[in-house]
Amino acid sequence: MDESSIIQVWKVIGAEEKEIQGLLKAVVQSVGWTYSLFWQLCPQRRKLVWSSGFYNGAIKTRKTTQPAEVTAEEAALERTQQLMELYQTLFSGESSMEARACTALSPEDLTDTEWFYVLCFTYSFEPPSGMPGKAYARRKHVWISGANEVDSKIFSRAISAKTMVCIPVLDGVLELGTTNKVKESEEFVEHIKSFFHNHPKSNTKPALFEHSINEEHEEVEEEEMTMSEEIRLGSPDDDDVSNQNLISDFHIEATNSLDTHMDMMNLMEEGGKYSQTVSTLLMSQPTSLLSDSVSTSSYVQSSFVSWRVENVKEHQQYQRVEKASSSSSQWMLKHIILRVPFLHDNTKNKKLPREELNHVVAERRRREKLNERFITLRSLVPFVTKMDKVSILGDTIQYVNHLCKRIHELESTHHEPAHKRMRIGKGRTWEEVEVSIIESDVLLEMRCVYRDGLLLDILQVLKVLGIETTAVHTVVNDHDFEAEIRAKVRGKKPTIAEVKIAIHQIISQNKL
Amino acid sequence: MDNSAPDSLPRSETAVTYDSPYPLYAMSFSSSTHRIAVGSFLEDYNNRIDILSFDSDSMSLKPLPSLSFEHPYPPTKLMFSPPSLRRSSGGDLLASSGDFLRLWEVNEDSSSAEPVSVLNNSKTSEFCAPLTSFDWNDVEPKRLGTCSIDTTCTIWDVERSVVETQLIAHDKEVHDIAIFDLRDKEHSTIIYESPQPDTPLLRLAWNKQDLRCMATILMDSNKVVILDIRSPTMPVAELERHQGSVNAIAWAPQSCKHICSGGDDAQALIWELPTMAGPNGIDPLSVYSAGSEINQLQWSASLPDWIGIAFANKMQLLRV
């Protein structure tokens, strides 16, 4: 979701929202606590989501657009607003990063409590889980003092705030927190509640707003949740943020949030202190986070269901039926590719203009000539190891160089021209078979002991292999047989090994 | 992980459907607006291309009848221009392939769709070989490549409406074309030959996030073959979990490891490619079952949370 729609939604909230925020501000300032939040119940999903908040705590770096003279109130409001903007930029995608104003906050400008405040935006609770959830379900306030020491099962957000109170008011839960340790007090709770007694219970907000606010939260929360899980698992290894395994471990359905994760992770690394804070934050409540994330992921209703191996079994039946009607496989795709283009032909000349056809044929012939020449070259050069065009050219170059050197040597030393190579050890059977297949052209060279009918046998076995002989050149002297056979492959292309084996078999036949 | 919490919406409600009066095949998402073009599939001369508007707030797909226009025979492919090529008037440029490559301007004020040009790659006559597919070059959007049954592929310069090059590298009809980099026009390497001879490769898709990777599907095959152009002829992976032939594939616009496929088994599967495949092959991440065979699948960068599928007379947007 792009940032502009988030901002639009927030702007449109209007008077009612401002009222709540005003109340929050009043409440927190009256007791001098650090922050106040309002968790609102979203009836569709039956969860409490962040609705409004006010930050009243310590600020690290002040960044403001206004001149120095500004009241404390306005400054505080502005701070809250800036924290909200920071959150939006962090969680709504990379593109908005560059668009941030120079006065916008960056993670290093925040104190720990401010950072905690920002992270609160992302939480949601399904009553009665979580502290706000419990308060809502029981319709009674929940007070925790010494929050940072509390067992994670009870309080899922370990923070630097020491005291936290959740009070059910209106249609949600008000949460207050402070960095001081404050003892539980009924008067305090009543005092807070009094602020809200005069406020009319907010009825049905226009469905659109609710839906869009929550939708933003849904998506973002899911991203946040899954990202948080990654950080949790990543922190033992730390520094090197390699999410690959982590992501594949969780069957996350929002695959588009991957990039956002990366950015979030990078940001975390930059604000090293914050990644630590977040890590400790998350380390301390593995179980509740997981339950949060499971419930959140059903929040963003994906149309897809995660894959189970049973799916394969379920469809066995389907498959058998399908196989029978394989003629209808890919029906539309085949039609589009193979039939539809020819439909057009019916309305026009069936033949392509001769020129174009010639052009295509000429090109094809050129390629065939190239292949043929390559094979010829290959036959001229001994010692060719591989059969691909590049190797053939390389070996040819080497061979030509070698020949040049040899000529040079011979001319300079005037050696007797070498006699025809003596066939050493006639008794020893020596045979050589070289096969080369490039596309559909075949070249077979062989040397072996001659016997009657050898050539015929060879041609026959080639035919069996699906090779159609086109040219034969043989040299027979004494008892030696040398042949160079060119052919074309018809049908299934045999491997070079197959051909060699077959030829060797022929040669060794009748040898007794 | 069981996703059915008691108060969650039923699966079908999360998908947004458009019911068309005729079967659909070609489909394209606009890169700038939330418009989707769908082409009909009627074995008839008169076919139509409709423009739909997707409203993510109200989760609805509405046709814009004023922008609907006729096309002779079913369009084999539809594609909106890449984001970098915007018309001066601000409308979208839509290309359709069929008998010729035609360009249409879909005006922003939604008043009408105007034909812009008809590109004919025959130098001599009015007739040109019908096109099976085409692809728009993201990097240089004025370039568009078409492929045709006369075994050629043609690269067009759409701004000047002229042919740049013709590639004649195939021995048979060309079924699909995907463009990445046009600098090496002189080279063509056989990247992959199907294992059974005479089994054509029907569709291709480049991974826009990892340009060395591409996916292809074969005729009558339930496999999605993933290739790396650095190691030709050896597939990186073969995804074989469809119960019927695969009809369409689409890479995730923002992830180099995710791909979605749809097939005759009426299922759309989302896969994640691991660095190492397990012994039993790769399982998909998630699955969606449609009402009938899925013929088309698109995953656009303009709507990365949604996958569009076409089956029978319907076009559906599925939330990822």
Side-chain angles (χ1 to χ4, degrees):
Chain A
M1 293 287 173
D2 53 344
E3 193 184 82
S4 57
S5 60
I6 297 178
I7 293 181
Q8 264 174 17
V9 160
W10 283 106
K11 281 195 181 124
V12 151
I13 303 256
E16 211 166 286
E17 191 46 49
K18 288 217 173 87
E19 252 192 278
I20 299 245
Q21 195 176 44
L23 275 174
L24 291 173
K25 179 162 84 87
V27 164
V28 75
Q29 284 177 338
S30 75
V31 289
W33 280 31
T34 310
Y35 72 87
S36 57
L37 302 176
F38 186 63
W39 302 98
Q40 187 168 37
L41 183 75
C42 165
Q44 283 171 327
R45 317 282 188 190
R46 294 223 233 115
K47 278 175 181 265
L48 290 166
V49 295
W50 196 97
S51 161
S52 182
F54 189 80
Y55 183 73
N56 193 40
I59 292 175
K60 191 170 160 192
T61 316
R62 176 166 293 284
K63 275 184 176 168
T64 172
T65 52
Q66 292 152 338
E69 307 302 311
V70 97
T71 67
E73 297 239 329
E74 284 165 11
L77 254 178
E78 205 198 344
R79 190 65 179 184
T80 309
Q81 186 58 30
Q82 283 179 324
L83 289 173
M84 167 56 76
E85 279 163 23
L86 171 64
Y87 157 74
Q88 283 167 357
T89 46
L90 284 179
F91 293 112
S92 61
E94 331 85 76
S95 54
S96 36
M97 291 296 177
E98 294 86 61
R100 269 194 294 168
C102 53
T103 51
L105 293 174
S106 355
E108 52 281 7
D109 297 329
L110 270 56
T111 58
D112 283 346
T113 37
E114 284 183 298
W115 192 240
F116 165 73
Y117 178 79
V118 170
L119 284 176
C120 282
F121 294 157
T122 65
Y123 279 86
S124 75
F125 303 94
E126 191 166 349
S129 57
M131 209 173 118
K134 215 161 48 166
Y136 184 82
R138 292 186 194 166
R139 305 306 308 171
K140 193 179 174 323
H141 73 272
V142 177
W143 188 298
I144 292 183
S145 54
N148 52 339
E149 297 148 20
V150 163
D151 190 5
S152 60
K153 288 206 190 79
I154 300 175
F155 179 52
S156 67
R157 293 166 288 150
I159 42 154
S160 46
K162 293 226 173 71
T163 310
M164 291 217 1
V165 185
C166 284
I167 306 171
V169 291
L170 300 178
D171 61 344
V173 173
L174 169 71
E175 178 181 317
L176 290 161
T178 176
T179 47
N180 302 316
K181 201 159 174 178
V182 179
K183 263 183 113 167
E184 181 162 356
S185 133
E186 277 291 338
E187 290 167 354
F188 181 89
V189 174
E190 285 309 312
H191 169 74
I192 302 292
K193 279 191 182 167
S194 66
F195 281 87
F196 291 86
H197 284 167
N198 302 329
H199 185 88
K201 211 173 175 112
S202 56
N203 294 340
T204 52
K205 282 198 176 146
L208 191 62
F209 298 154
E210 207 162 335
H211 181 74
S212 25
I213 301 172
N214 294 328
E215 201 172 45
E216 301 305 330
H217 278 294
E218 287 159 342
E219 302 229 341
V220 153
E221 270 154 15
E222 199 201 20
E223 284 175 359
E224 170 63 22
M225 282 305 157
T226 49
M227 185 250 348
S228 312
E229 293 205 48
E230 285 152 22
I231 297 181
R232 170 169 73 89
L233 290 186
S235 42
D237 313 325
D238 216 353
D239 291 335
D240 183 27
V241 181
S242 51
N243 338 12
Q244 305 295 350
N245 301 326
L246 302 173
I247 293 178
S248 57
D249 283 343
F250 298 103
H251 290 265
I252 296 172
E253 290 160 357
T255 54
N256 62 323
S257 50
L258 282 172
D259 281 340
T260 329
H261 290 167
M262 293 303 286
D263 277 287
M264 191 57 212
M265 298 298 259
N266 291 337
L267 268 171
M268 289 302 206
E269 287 307 307
E270 281 166 23
K273 182 172 165 202
Y274 300 98
S275 66
Q276 265 183 16
T277 314
V278 176
S279 314
T280 37
L281 198 148
L282 299 165
M283 288 272 260
S284 47
Q285 11 66 40
T287 47
S288 47
L289 232 201
L290 207 51
S291 64
D292 268 353
S293 83
V294 165
S295 51
T296 350
S297 59
S298 63
Y299 219 148
V300 183
Q301 277 290 320
S302 166
S303 317
F304 286 81
V305 180
S306 47
W307 174 268
R308 292 188 300 259
V309 184
E310 296 85 70
N311 284 354
V312 178
K313 293 181 194 143
E314 274 168 28
H315 284 273
Q316 288 292 340
Q317 281 264 301
Y318 190 87
Q319 188 183 23
R320 261 176 240 129
V321 173
E322 262 308 304
K323 285 280 185 201
S325 58
S326 60
S327 55
S328 66
S329 138
Q330 295 173 327
W331 184 84
M332 198 182 253
L333 185 60
K334 285 183 191 163
H335 254 69
I336 277 281
I337 293 178
L338 305 169
R339 306 266 161 73
V340 168
F342 292 97
L343 289 175
H344 293 286
D345 262 344
N346 289 339
T347 63
K348 307 176 196 161
N349 273 339
K350 293 234 172 165
K351 293 207 178 92
L352 288 172
R354 206 162 289 167
E355 267 181 45
E356 287 195 34
L357 207 55
N358 282 346
H359 183 39
V360 172
V361 168
E363 177 62 32
R364 198 172 301 161
R365 225 179 285 144
R366 174 183 156 270
R367 269 182 297 134
E368 279 170 13
K369 249 195 256 178
L370 264 174
N371 284 341
E372 217 181 282
R373 300 254 163 95
F374 265 105
I375 295 208
T376 313
L377 193 58
R378 149 81 189 79
S379 69
L380 288 172
V381 178
F383 317 128
V384 168
T385 45
K386 290 192 194 167
M387 300 306 170
D388 65 302
K389 292 179 183 173
V390 176
S391 300
I392 290 178
L393 287 177
D395 287 331
T396 308
I397 293 170
Q398 266 180 353
Y399 185 57
V400 169
N401 281 335
H402 166 79
L403 287 176
C404 282
K405 241 196 289 174
R406 193 103 165 87
I407 291 173
H408 185 72
E409 280 170 17
L410 288 172
E411 280 178 355
S412 57
T413 57
H414 288 295
H415 272 191
E416 291 275 305
H419 279 290
K420 208 167 68 169
R421 228 180 338 152
M422 297 300 285
R423 305 279 187 248
I424 304 166
K426 247 195 179 159
R428 193 181 73 189
T429 51
W430 58 277
E431 46 206 44
E432 233 174 85
V433 177
E434 282 300 327
V435 178
S436 143
I437 303 181
I438 294 183
E439 291 189 17
S440 63
D441 296 310
V442 181
L443 175 67
L444 165 64
E445 293 159 301
M446 50 180 296
R447 267 183 226 118
C448 64
V449 178
Y450 178 74
R451 63 169 171 85
D452 280 330
L454 177 63
L455 184 58
L456 184 61
D457 288 338
I458 291 172
L459 293 179
Q460 278 178 334
V461 80
L462 286 179
K463 185 165 177 213
V464 166
L465 288 167
I467 297 176
E468 193 63 39
T469 309
T470 52
V472 177
H473 178 70
T474 55
V475 174
V476 182
N477 44 22
D478 300 347
H479 296 278
D480 305 312
F481 174 84
E482 240 179 82
E484 188 185 279
I485 297 176
R486 290 174 197 282
K488 283 231 176 269
V489 175
R490 295 271 179 258
K492 187 173 184 290
K493 195 160 124 174
T495 64
I496 290 177
E498 280 175 358
V499 178
K500 275 192 177 175
I501 291 173
I503 300 293
H504 275 291
Q505 270 179 351
I506 298 291
I507 293 174
S508 45
Q509 264 176 24
N510 293 348
K511 221 189 291 197
L512 290 163
Chain B
M1 177 160 62
D2 189 31
N3 280 5
S4 46
D7 49 334
S8 67
L9 298 176
R11 249 348 109 168
S12 53
E13 282 191 33
T14 60
V16 187
T17 312
Y18 165 69
D19 280 300
S20 159
Y22 28 70
L24 300 172
Y25 176 70
M27 180 160 76
S28 175
F29 286 66
S30 163
S31 44
S32 43
T33 60
H34 279 192
R35 282 203 214 109
I36 303 170
V38 289
S40 65
F41 184 86
L42 297 163
E43 294 192 73
D44 194 331
Y45 185 76
N46 297 314
N47 276 264
R48 295 198 75 83
I49 295 175
D50 292 315
I51 311 286
L52 311 173
S53 170
F54 173 55
D55 188 353
S56 48
D57 298 321
S58 61
M59 300 268 277
S60 64
L61 276 172
K62 290 189 204 73
L64 305 169
S66 58
L67 295 177
S68 171
F69 54 95
E70 281 179 354
H71 188 275
Y73 292 108
T76 50
K77 184 162 174 177
L78 285 175
M79 196 165 175
F80 276 99
S81 61
S84 26
L85 185 72
R86 295 299 306 274
R87 305 285 289 172
S88 47
S89 55
D92 272 325
L93 200 58
L94 174 67
S96 71
S97 64
D99 48 352
F100 299 105
L101 180 72
R102 294 161 195 272
L103 292 174
W104 312 81
E105 177 165 348
V106 178
N107 270 325
E108 218 161 54
D109 54 7
S110 300
S111 57
S112 63
E114 303 286 330
V116 168
S117 46
V118 175
L119 303 175
N120 175 0
N121 67 355
S122 161
K123 301 179 190 84
T124 53
S125 78
E126 305 165 7
F127 307 121
C128 98
L131 307 170
T132 50
S133 182
F134 67 95
D135 191 22
W136 224 310
N137 190 348
D138 279 339
V139 174
E140 274 189 67
K142 65 178 182 132
R143 281 219 184 97
L144 192 154
T146 63
C147 57
S148 134
I149 55 171
D150 69 350
T151 80
T152 64
C153 296
T154 310
I155 311 293
W156 292 89
D157 179 333
V158 294
E159 278 174 2
R160 295 180 297 148
S161 299
V162 292
V163 175
E164 277 201 11
T165 328
Q166 270 203 326
L167 308 170
I168 307 174
H170 288 269
D171 292 326
K172 293 198 165 167
E173 299 95 7
V174 187
H175 297 146
D176 199 7
I177 179 173
I179 296 184
F180 152 50
D181 180 0
L182 291 183
R183 284 172 296 182
D184 272 344
K185 279 184 262 199
E186 296 77 41
H187 292 271
S188 70
T189 330
I190 295 180
I191 290 183
Y192 177 68
E193 263 181 51
S194 57
Q196 303 91 9
D198 300 328
T199 310
L201 303 177
L202 290 180
R203 283 278 174 244
L204 316 163
W206 279 110
N207 184 339
K208 302 259 188 264
Q209 296 296 316
D210 178 1
L211 289 162
R212 297 158 306 195
C213 243
M214 58 190 308
T216 181
I217 53 178
L218 294 85
M219 186 182 269
D220 291 331
S221 164
N222 68 336
K223 283 195 282 207
V224 177
V225 181
I226 311 289
L227 303 167
D228 186 326
I229 59 174
R230 293 168 302 178
S231 59
T233 74
M234 266 300 288
V236 166
E238 288 186 349
L239 309 175
E240 197 174 356
R241 290 286 184 269
H242 271 285
Q243 302 295 319
S245 309
V246 184
N247 288 326
I249 39 178
W251 288 94
Q254 286 166 345
S255 156
C256 59
K257 285 189 173 301
H258 292 84
I259 183 172
C260 185
S261 58
D264 276 346
D265 54 353
Q267 293 197 314
L269 302 174
I270 297 186
W271 310 78
E272 182 189 45
L273 302 178
T275 39
M276 286 293 290
N280 294 331
I282 302 171
D283 278 328
L285 275 186
S286 50
V287 57
Y288 173 79
S289 295
S292 64
E293 296 93 4
I294 296 179
N295 291 312
Q296 176 71 259
L297 205 148
Q298 295 282 337
W299 200 346
S300 164
S302 54
L303 288 173
D305 297 336
W306 299 87
I307 294 180
I309 61 170
F311 58 96
N313 285 21
K314 293 187 210 282
M315 186 247 140
Q316 258 190 355
L317 280 174
L318 308 174
R319 191 179 254 281
V320 175

